Amino acid sequence: MTAAVRPTDPPLEAASPAASAPVASRLGLAGYLVCAGGIVRRELLRFVNQKERFFSALVRPLVWLFIFAAGFRNVLGVSIIPPYETYVLYEVYVTAGLAAMIQLFNGMQSSLSMVYDREVGSMRVLLTSPYPRWSLLLAKLAAGVAVSLVQVYVFLAIARFWEVDVPWLGYLTALPAFVAVGLMLGSIGLFLSSLVRQLENFASVMNFVIFPMFFASSALYPLWRIRESSEALYLICQANPFTHGVELIRHALYGSFEPVACAVVVGTTLLFFLLAVVAYDPGRGIMARRGGPPGEGS
Amino acid sequence: MTGGGGTIRGGPGPALSVEGVSHRFGAREALSGVSLAVPVGRFVALLGPNGAGKTTLFSIVTRLYHTRQGRVAVFGHNLAREPAQGLARIGVVFQARTLDTDLTVRQNLLYHAALHGLPRRVAMGRVEALLARVGLLDRIDDKIRVLSGGQSRRVEIARSLVHGPSLLLLDEPTVGLDLESRADILATVRALVRDEGISVLWATHIFEELQPDDALVVLHRGRVIADGTAAQVAGGGTLEAAFRRMTALEKAA
């Protein structure tokens, strides 16, 4: 006990008339927006505090861009495919995929933080909020997207110095695409977080989700190249929602809109968000079934 | 119903009413037909050894789990039908430490205020007043990581009051603290009951924390085995002796 002031010393009511006054319970939309804002703010604060997380989130795609892409520049020629109007360097091709990779890792990292939140109990704090549970999960998703946007735009800014010249307007037109893809990957992560029992299982998420999604997509190579070697693999890549996320971003960066990709991204988001809401529902989901506090009711 | 606007304080019925609540985890029965009430403005102790079902009960009352069997109402608001109205009136201190250790005291409290829809400009003054009350105003911009166990507990108590709840639930808040911190926490909470009329459910397994005229509910293996004032339950002897007698009877039965 180090505090100089003992809690019983000051007369309580005198110390805090404001604290004891009744407070309007802001259960309406305005209150919810405050709540969602608070959740996003907390996530950003935590992100800023974890410098190594920010650093590694940036280093990963930059290593790909600076080293991998340089090495493969001459091996992987990219013909003229939409949205590019001329031959592009491999670095330019791979940038959209790497931006999506940042979001992929971030989405899964948010799911990791949900598992962590569950273990240390801050999930319980979140769920004491009076707002509907689905709306709290939505705010959590938005918070993850906000963090991923910071990472993506810093990456794009650095990539610009590496001859990846996206049209200036492209940074703006890509914003809705990044938000949509962020929501999609976040909701997949949210759903996974309900399945992952403990933090250690995150390694399997890496192996079974992140890597297959990333490599079986158009992030690193155009799909026609894959089709040349295997029709089956091509179909798998086409079925991978991450491919559509990458293509949505790639087109948006050059001011064009890819309706099929957009539909897949939106549909996947809705599906996984719904599944996550069911999983986190107090009645049906994992929170009630996944054992109880240790020792109770044995 | 007060709808979107009403005040948190007050409302019909006891602060908390739990009626016939049972809960299982698979085959394990954690709670069986538990009923208890926290009258408005009273301090009620929920006494039970580890594993008695206290935390499960807290999880149901805070709606982490649905009420499968039975009914839970907060100031008359049935938690199953009006969860928002109920949750808005509850402040909780969980057994586990649930503050963000990388964030400051102020950031933690403002986050919690936001969770209850209190905008920063309204919350700021309340946060400072509450920290003054628990004697930690001078630590407002310190990160949680540098606080002692007793100090972070007091921050958690301040946090649980940010949105002005009328019912405070504390799940073994003194676990792991030294004697002096334990006494501090207990005194703070008793003062809230005395001065503010806040209703409190205090779960504990420490007999010494109770006073003779405290309302007491004894939970053992998911069942309520005694209910009354601490003095009544003790029946002339010590509470601990009475407790051993009752649990021995349970075993024999």
Side-chain angles (χ1 to χ4, degrees), chain A residues 34-276:
Chain A
V34 169
C35 171
I39 291 172
V40 172
R41 196 185 174 87
R42 167 178 179 258
E43 215 64 45
L44 286 171
L45 279 172
R46 277 169 31 128
F47 175 65
V48 172
N49 275 322
Q50 298 170 335
K51 301 222 169 38
E52 58 289 359
R53 181 176 157 199
F54 185 49
F55 197 63
S56 67
L58 269 180
V59 163
R60 206 178 295 118
L62 288 177
V63 164
W64 282 90
L65 185 66
F66 294 165
I67 304 174
F68 183 86
F72 278 73
R73 188 181 230 180
N74 301 318
V75 184
L76 292 171
V78 178
S79 67
I80 302 175
I81 48 164
Y84 308 110
E85 284 163 356
T86 58
Y87 284 104
V88 292
L89 287 176
Y90 184 60
E91 284 93 325
V92 174
Y93 178 83
V94 88
T95 294
L98 293 179
M101 179 179 87
I102 295 176
Q103 293 197 293
L104 176 63
F105 270 90
N106 189 76
M108 299 307 133
Q109 204 134 32
S110 312
S111 88
L112 169 86
S113 86
M114 294 284 274
V115 178
Y116 175 78
D117 279 359
R118 245 186 15 228
E119 285 190 358
V120 303
S122 38
M123 178 67 84
R124 291 189 140 196
V125 174
L126 174 73
L127 296 183
T128 57
S129 167
Y131 300 101
R133 208 144 285 189
W134 65 266
S135 72
L136 297 175
L137 292 179
L138 190 63
K140 263 305 232 199
L141 268 189
V145 172
V147 169
S148 83
L149 287 179
V150 176
Q151 297 172 350
V152 161
Y153 277 94
V154 172
F155 166 72
L156 288 178
I158 297 174
R160 191 155 192 102
F161 292 102
W162 205 257
E163 299 176 56
V164 181
D165 289 330
V166 175
W168 285 108
L169 196 61
Y171 293 111
L172 192 66
T173 51
L175 183 62
F178 283 127
V179 171
V181 173
L183 285 173
M184 174 180 81
L185 296 170
S187 60
I188 293 175
L190 198 61
F191 173 67
L192 288 176
S193 79
S194 70
L195 300 180
V196 176
R197 201 187 272 262
Q198 276 175 331
L199 274 180
E200 297 82 69
N201 296 356
F202 192 66
S204 15
V205 173
M206 289 277 288
N207 284 333
F208 294 106
V209 181
I210 295 186
F211 288 149
M213 271 184 106
F214 182 58
F215 288 113
S217 79
S218 57
L220 295 179
Y221 14 72
L223 291 190
W224 63 263
R225 284 234 164 218
I226 293 191
R227 196 172 203 171
E228 279 178 353
S229 46
S230 159
E231 181 73 20
L233 196 56
Y234 170 75
L235 291 175
I236 291 174
C237 293
Q238 279 288 2
N240 180 358
F242 187 68
T243 295
H244 298 278
V246 171
E247 290 313 307
L248 187 67
I249 291 171
R250 190 190 308 287
H251 280 82
L253 276 172
Y254 293 87
S256 74
F257 177 69
E258 187 47 62
V260 176
C262 182
V264 173
V265 167
V266 171
T268 310
T269 307
L270 288 178
L271 174 68
F272 280 94
F273 184 66
L274 220 71
L275 290 172

Side-chain angles (χ1 to χ4, degrees), chain A residues 16 25-26 42 124 129 296, chain B residues 4 28 56 59 100 117 133:
Chain A
S16 51
S25 64
R26 307 164 155 270
R42 167 178 179 258
R124 291 189 140 196
S129 167
E296 297 206 346
Chain B
R28 295 192 294 136
T56 303
S59 299
D100 285 316
R133 168 180 306 194

Side-chain angles (χ1 to χ4, degrees), chain B:
Chain B
M1 250 18 8
T2 47
T7 57
I8 288 184
R9 206 154 285 263
L16 172 68
S17 119
V18 174
E19 293 164 21
V21 167
S22 301
H23 196 86
R24 329 180 126 267
F25 295 108
R28 295 192 294 136
E29 188 166 52
L31 291 176
S32 166
V34 169
S35 296
L36 60 88
V38 178
V40 174
R42 284 298 300 274
F43 179 98
V44 176
L46 178 66
L47 183 69
N50 293 328
K54 299 190 294 292
T55 298
T56 303
L57 185 61
F58 269 67
S59 299
I60 289 174
V61 172
T62 54
R63 211 171 158 269
L64 189 63
Y65 314 146
H66 258 330
T67 318
R68 299 258 177 79
Q69 268 177 48
R71 178 176 181 274
V72 177
V74 177
F75 290 97
H77 299 286
N78 186 336
L79 217 51
R81 286 206 313 267
E82 306 170 88
Q85 292 288 340
L87 288 174
R89 289 167 171 79
I90 299 178
V92 197
V93 176
F94 291 107
Q95 186 173 348
R97 301 286 153 80
T98 53
L99 295 164
D100 285 316
T101 52
D102 280 340
L103 302 189
T104 65
V105 172
R106 187 200 302 269
Q107 288 166 341
N108 267 285
L109 266 57
L110 286 178
Y111 166 62
H112 190 81
L115 285 183
H116 283 269
L118 284 181
R120 293 170 67 79
R121 66 192 143 69
V122 179
M124 205 74 86
R126 293 181 58 78
V127 162
E128 286 174 8
L130 284 164
L131 284 173
R133 168 180 306 194
V134 297
L136 287 172
L137 187 54
D138 54 333
R139 310 301 297 267
I140 190 166
D141 288 314
D142 285 354
K143 291 197 171 176
I144 299 296
R145 204 178 327 114
V146 303
L147 299 186
S148 73
Q151 287 168 336
S152 16
R153 257 308 179 231
R154 272 147 60 196
V155 172
E156 286 186 309
I157 290 177
R159 177 178 70 172
S160 71
L161 296 169
V162 164
H163 56 290
S166 323
L167 170 64
L168 197 54
L169 306 171
L170 304 101
D171 189 4
E172 307 234 18
T174 55
V175 157
L177 301 182
D178 59 52
L179 274 177
E180 195 186 350
S181 308
R182 265 164 55 184
D184 272 348
I185 303 281
L186 192 58
T188 305
V189 172
R190 285 192 186 278
L192 286 169
V193 176
R194 190 184 60 234
D195 304 335
E196 309 267 328
I198 286 182
S199 319
V200 168
L201 182 65
W202 174 282
T204 185
H205 66 270
I206 302 168
F207 300 98
E208 293 78 34
E209 289 178 352
L210 303 182
Q211 291 172 359
D213 55 346
D214 282 337
L216 171 64
V217 176
V218 183
L219 196 64
H220 182 63
R221 294 187 178 169
R223 291 167 195 276
V224 173
I225 57 170
D227 195 347
T229 64
Q232 285 167 349
V233 174
T238 66
L239 206 50
E240 191 169 353
F243 181 78
R244 292 198 191 291
R245 209 165 47 242
M246 286 184 292
T247 53
L249 280 177
E250 274 269 302
K251 266 181 206 143

